[in-house]
Amino acid sequence: MQGNPEMGSVWSGIGLRLAATGLFAVMSLFVRLASFEAPVGQIMFWRSSVALIPIVLYLIWRRQFPRGLRTARPFGHLKRSTFGLVSMFFSFLSLAYLPLALATALGFLAPLLVLPVAMIMLREKPGMAVFTATFAGFGGVFLMLWPTFSTPGIDTGVLIGIGAGLAMAVTTAFAKVQIKALTSTESSGTIAFYFAVICSLGGLLTLPFGWADPSPEILMWLIGAGLTGGLAHIFMTEALARAPASTLAAFEYTAMIWALLLDVTVFGLLPEPVSLFGAFLIVLAAAIVMFGDKLGVPVPKPDITAAQAQGKPGE
């Protein structure tokens, strides 16, 4: 008896989504390793410019190059990419100073920050369950940061990383609104291409401020960040072609598992129990905000669209 072709497609989509999440985690690892020598602007340039290689090859494979690069909304791409550029800068800055798990957990604040924006700009009125989840998420951040703040003599770099992580979450929330606006006319491949081009130019503009002369090892991390980031975008796009976005979105939270594993295996960092509980609260709160409508909880949020094939704008 043959299986259901549609179910097979969904399972392949889930597999690709999990692979994309893993690739983004490895990309974050490469960014952190490269940051030991290279400044953030230089990492942004390599991450974005090298990512163009797999993205262009993918567009050629889909027979969308160069035809698919034509756009009637250049300023829309510029606006989206500017928010994404700022988000990427803060994301990489937080990775330079923080363990992968903490930097990843701070990124999950983005869907929680949509709530106050929706209340102010859209006059949304979320229910008590969503309010509770939001406060729980910010409480999770406090618990994750507690071991750091309770230690005498807090390192300035850690404070910079925490501030950058919070700023990344804010700019990601705004960037997703811009991505949503573009998808009415633009394909995800086109959005990814122009995002990579503009972020490459943005990174290149930091050259006068001083770039490092990377060792062969750091050069390998820089190239690896670009290739894994570009491949992750492709895997995300293909996953959304095979399965509903609402089905795939839940698997974004496996990023915390990857981050914890990489912290332990590569850096030998084992989080404090209170930090682990805080990370759990953040992920749980973000999941409730994202999927509360399926549980009968009124949630003010934009529709999940193929635009989220780009992952977090900072990625």
Side-chain angles (χ1 to χ4, degrees), residues 55-313:
I55 290 173
V56 169
L57 290 175
Y58 173 71
L59 290 172
I60 292 173
W61 177 66
R62 294 295 301 268
R63 298 181 180 178
Q64 296 176 349
F65 187 87
R67 173 180 49 84
L69 302 184
R70 289 197 297 267
T71 177
R73 303 176 64 184
F75 291 107
H77 284 285
L78 180 62
K79 187 185 296 185
R80 173 268 184 269
S81 297
T82 300
F83 276 112
L85 174 69
V86 176
S87 179
M88 179 182 285
F89 172 81
F90 284 126
S91 175
F92 288 4
L93 187 61
S94 70
L95 285 168
Y97 288 104
L98 299 177
L100 295 175
L102 180 53
T104 301
L106 290 174
F108 283 123
L109 286 175
L112 303 181
L113 294 171
V114 171
L115 293 180
V117 173
M119 291 175 63
I120 295 171
M121 299 181 64
L122 305 178
R123 301 185 184 277
E124 299 275 8
K125 295 181 179 180
M128 184 57 65
V130 175
F131 266 119
T132 303
T134 302
F135 281 112
F138 287 108
V141 174
F142 176 80
L143 291 176
M144 283 205 74
L145 300 180
W146 175 251
T148 299
F149 288 130
S150 61
T151 303
I154 300 176
D155 185 80
T156 303
V158 173
L159 293 177
I160 293 173
I162 292 170
L166 295 173
M168 181 265 292
V170 173
T171 51
T172 295
F174 281 98
K176 284 191 172 183
V177 175
Q178 299 300 322
I179 297 173
K180 165 73 174 165
L182 276 176
T183 52
S184 59
T185 60
E186 310 293 295
S187 71
S188 57
T190 304
I191 296 172
F193 176 84
Y194 286 114
F195 174 54
V197 169
I198 292 175
C199 286
S200 297
L201 294 174
L204 188 61
L205 290 176
T206 67
L207 180 60
F209 298 98
W211 280 12
D213 184 12
S215 63
E217 184 180 20
I218 296 299
L219 186 61
M220 182 173 63
W221 303 142
L222 291 169
I223 295 173
L227 291 177
T228 51
L231 288 171
H233 283 307
I234 293 169
F235 278 40
M236 287 282 288
T237 300
E238 284 299 304
L240 284 163
R242 291 166 168 77
S246 57
T247 300
L248 298 174
F251 295 95
E252 178 180 348
Y253 300 102
T254 59
M256 277 304 304
I257 300 174
W258 281 104
L260 289 167
L261 287 174
L262 290 172
D263 269 343
V264 172
T265 57
V266 178
F267 302 106
L269 296 175
L270 187 62
E272 298 283 344
V274 66
S275 294
L276 287 174
F277 183 66
F280 170 77
L281 279 181
I282 294 171
V283 173
L284 178 62
I288 290 175
V289 171
M290 289 288 290
F291 308 111
D293 54 338
K294 298 181 183 300
L295 305 174
V297 179
V299 179
K301 61 175 175 52
D303 295 334
I304 298 172
T305 71
Q308 291 181 339
Q310 312 313 314
K312 298 184 186 70

Side-chain angles (χ1 to χ4, degrees), residues 13-32:
I14 290 173
L16 287 166
R17 181 64 178 88
L18 289 171
T21 304
L23 283 168
F24 276 131
V26 174
M27 182 208 74
S28 296
L29 170 64
F30 288 157
V31 168
R32 178 153 174 74

